[in-house]
Amino acid sequence: MRLSLAFITLATLYCSRASAQQSTDNLISPASASGSLTGLKYTNVGATGTYNQVTNLVPGTFPSCDVNPFCITQPKQISGALAPFNEEMTFNFRGPLNLYNIAVYQPASTSASTWTQVSSWVAGQAPNNLVFMNNLGGDKSGVFSICGGNSQSFANGAWTDATTAANAEVASGFLDEDHEINIMTAQTCDDSPCDGFARGTANHGWADSKMLVVTFDMPPSSDASKVPAIWALNAQVVRSAEYGCNCRGEGSPGGCGELDILETLVGADPNQGISEIYSVKGATGSGSTNFFARPTTDKVTYGVVLDVQMDSIAIQRLISWDYTQTSVSREVIDGYLNAPALEVSFATGAKKRGVVGGHRRRHGL
């Protein structure tokens, strides 16, 4: 039996529409691309330039701590789609925050048709290829010196202190307003060398294209100066010193990559969160009139796609997510990347758009 060209065309169109519908089934509806956002997309992310990669940290001797240079760096050249966000990244969380589920998906290659779940965690259970860490290195794990400060450490189950081994205690999922954690893969820098300088307890992050899916809520703070945030950093930052000698920054020669996914600002509306992005290009973000609603009572799910193929980053609020699914198709990823969203071009020389009356809570406080 021969099928007519018209029939084949209609069938192809139907399948294409069905695939597009399937790829956006989990997106929040109706979408909002201004004011109270449900989606944000950064385009033209990749940069060409250099940042100062840390190669050593020389803390010196107490009480002078006067070694110069203390933070030893060398220029690292980057270029290409998504750079430097194609490098290993870690995802960070600051309370008050309840975390319920986390999953990370990655493709085997840039052109792969499937993204596989490579890391996951459910509150109250042991994680898979995911380690909870913090910046409390010292006697239990990691290292500490008065002049050099704390390295990374393995976080305890309450996420308030360090412990002796990765995920030695089961985490309930509550992060109080006085603490921060970050997640890394289970592979250590001893297992395989990490890029840049690393000290103490140091693990690999997620490189190339990746998608973070996380379900959480952000209960009200007891102190207006202690507000929550979710952000991503170049993994080199935490492996040297997140609040000291590192490659983070804005513009050249700093800027190895930071993405603020949802951050509530001190002094601004406590029920709103913004997004900003920093690299050697400079900085930009959601701006002074656009925001994500802070989920103070009901838990929400967000998908964050960092994609080399499209040189884009998408932040989308989802209706739901099946964390038992071990893979997602490229069509689904494209659906999230192309869904309605506030679109912000990360052009070279971009400058961030501040929020009137608000400022960032200094990380670590």
Side-chain angles (χ1 to χ4, degrees), residues 27 51 228:
L27 288 180
Y51 66 79

Side-chain angles (χ1 to χ4, degrees), residues 4-299:
S4 69
L5 179 60
F7 178 85
I8 294 173
T9 302
L10 285 172
T12 302
L13 179 61
Y14 174 81
C15 291
S16 175
R17 287 178 176 174
S19 177
Q21 177 63 41
Q22 181 186 23
S23 69
T24 57
D25 275 347
N26 288 326
L27 288 180
I28 201 74
S29 182
S32 175
S34 63
S36 182
L37 302 173
T38 57
L40 172 65
K41 180 180 178 181
Y42 292 108
T43 61
N44 304 307
V45 173
T48 297
T50 61
Y51 66 79
N52 286 337
Q53 182 178 57
V54 177
T55 59
N56 201 3
L57 186 159
V58 184
T61 304
F62 182 79
S64 63
C65 302
D66 59 357
V67 172
N68 188 18
F70 156 72
C71 185
I72 301 173
T73 65
Q74 66 180 20
K76 179 180 179 180
Q77 182 72 38
I78 61 168
S79 64
L82 208 66
F85 297 91
N86 60 332
E87 297 184 352
E88 288 188 9
M89 303 291 291
T90 179
F91 297 102
N92 303 59
F93 306 89
R94 183 179 65 223
L97 193 70
N98 285 301
L99 288 170
Y100 300 97
N101 296 86
I102 299 172
V104 179
Y105 295 81
Q106 291 188 282
S109 65
T110 302
S111 59
S113 60
T114 300
W115 290 37
T116 302
Q117 187 184 92
V118 295
S119 303
S120 62
W121 170 78
V122 179
Q125 298 183 21
N128 171 50
N129 189 37
L130 186 152
V131 177
F132 290 105
M133 307 188 78
N134 50 24
N135 297 301
L136 298 172
D139 59 340
K140 295 178 181 177
S141 55
V143 297
F144 168 79
S145 71
I146 294 177
C147 298
N150 304 87
S151 75
Q152 285 262 276
S153 52
F154 298 123
N156 68 352
W159 295 340
T160 56
D161 200 355
T163 191
T164 55
N167 303 316
E169 303 172 15
V170 174
S172 67
F174 174 66
L175 179 64
D176 69 40
E177 63 188 28
D178 293 315
H179 291 91
E180 299 177 1
I181 56 169
N182 65 288
I183 57 173
M184 301 286 262
T185 72
Q187 186 180 33
T188 71
C189 296
D190 289 332
D191 296 332
S192 175
C194 290
D195 190 23
F197 174 73
R199 63 184 180 127
T201 301
N203 284 41
H204 285 269
W206 293 271
D208 303 314
S209 294
K210 49 251 174 188
M211 176 173 69
L212 169 75
V213 184
V214 57
T215 299
F216 63 96
D217 61 46
M218 295 175 163
S221 309
S222 64
D223 183 332
S225 67
K226 297 180 177 180
V227 288
I230 300 174
W231 71 103
L233 287 172
N234 191 306
Q236 295 179 69
V237 172
V238 297
R239 289 196 294 250
S240 56
E242 185 171 356
Y243 303 110
C245 172
N246 61 57
C247 58
R248 78 194 295 174
E250 176 185 332
S252 181
C256 61
E258 175 176 347
L259 171 68
D260 296 333
I261 298 166
L262 196 162
E263 179 173 22
T264 301
L265 298 181
V266 177
D269 190 327
N271 294 313
Q272 297 178 0
I274 65 157
S275 173
E276 290 185 331
I277 187 170
Y278 306 80
S279 81
V280 298
K281 279 188 169 182
T284 190
S286 52
S288 59
T289 59
N290 301 302
F291 59 89
F292 289 102
R294 174 181 173 180
T296 55
T297 54
D298 298 327
K299 60 184 178 182

Side-chain angles (χ1 to χ4, degrees), residues 315-335:
I315 303 171
Q316 288 284 354
R317 181 175 169 181
L318 310 180
I319 294 173
S320 63
W321 187 262
D322 178 7
Y323 285 91
T324 65
Q325 61 183 327
T326 57
S327 64
V328 293
S329 68
R330 177 71 215 192
E331 286 78 12
V332 170
I333 299 297
D334 286 340

